Each structure stands twice: as structure tokens, then as C-alpha cells.
Amino acid sequence: MSGIECGGQAPDFTLRDQFGQDVTLSSYRGSKAVAIFFYPYAFSGVCTGEMAGIRDRLADFLTFDTEVLAISCDPMFALRAFADQDGLNFPLLSDFWPHGEVARAYGVLDETTGAAHRSSYVIDKDGVVRWAAHNAMPQGRDLEEHLRQLTAVV
């Protein structure tokens, strides 16, 4: 699994968040850099810990110049329950149908399990992929490094 190349345009997408609202990546173009967190499963141990880590540092991740989007192949209603249970107040996007279409476009869909790999991308204000990280399934991300990479592109 290699994902998409840095230096090229990020594949655009529109997905529904946990509230059923459409979120389009290109809507941030020209105004915000975006950190995209693909994660395998809502309610799973490592994913729950990572999303709580983002929640706990949300003021660092979300500024006038930055946005964070978390994407899984879980259905929207599962993401709403996940967000409500853990107080996750940032966009959790459902790549449920067509199943895994966005994860596939980013090269991070596990076709066997139907879940996204634990992968991250930082997209600059021009929509260009500036950084990527791919973690093994049981390995949590270094959120400090993600924050450093996100703030470096603004």
C-alpha cells in the first residue's frame, strides 16, 4: 500500500459527515490547509484513541488556516454514535457508499476488509498533497508530527 504521491493535486471528494451534511474537500481550496485522517473502524481501540487525541488537541488542529477531516468506511449513523459517545466535534466523514470510493482514490482502501488503512495526508491551500503517512493497523499515529506537518504548509 503506497497511497497517492506527494506533489500532485489531492483527489476531490464530497462525503457526508456524522450530521448528514456534505463536506467537499475543494471547498477549502484557497483558504485552508487540510489534514485528512483515514481510519479503519469507528469504536475500535486504536481509532478511538486517535480520534480522542485529535479531539483533545482540536484547538491546535483547527485554526483559521487549517481543517481536519477524519474518514472511514463506516455508515453515517455509526459515525454519529461514535462522535456522540466520545465527544468528537470535528468532521467524521462516511466513505460508506459507493463503498470506499474516496479511500480507493487515495490508494488506502484494503479491498479484503473493505476498510481504510490508517493513513494520513496534509493538503495545502492550493489542493496539493504535501505530506503523507501510512501506519500499520495496530500502530497509532504520531499526532505531534501530523500537527507539525499541517502547520508547516500554512
Side-chain angles (χ1 to χ4, degrees), residues 114-136:
H117 289 282
R118 192 176 311 286
S119 295
S120 308
Y121 292 95
V122 169
I123 315 300
D124 71 12
K125 290 180 182 181
D126 296 320
V128 175
V129 179
R130 293 296 176 194
W131 182 77
H134 307 286
N135 292 54

Side-chain angles (χ1 to χ4, degrees), residues 43-56:
F43 299 104
S44 64
V46 176
C47 297
T48 298
E50 285 183 329
M51 296 301 115
I54 294 168
R55 176 201 63 214
D56 293 347

Side-chain angles (χ1 to χ4, degrees), residues 69-108:
L69 303 174
I71 302 173
S72 77
C73 295
D74 295 301
M76 180 191 68
F77 297 109
L79 295 180
R80 177 64 187 262
F82 184 43
D84 288 350
Q85 175 181 298
D86 291 333
L88 306 175
N89 53 349
F90 53 92
L92 302 181
L93 305 181
S94 174
D95 192 14
F96 184 69
W97 196 256
H99 194 82
E101 182 177 74
V102 174
R104 190 175 291 112
Y106 278 78
V108 299

Side-chain angles (χ1 to χ4, degrees), residues 27 73 88 106 110 113 147:
S27 70
C73 295
L88 306 175
Y106 278 78
D110 183 327
T113 64
L147 190 55

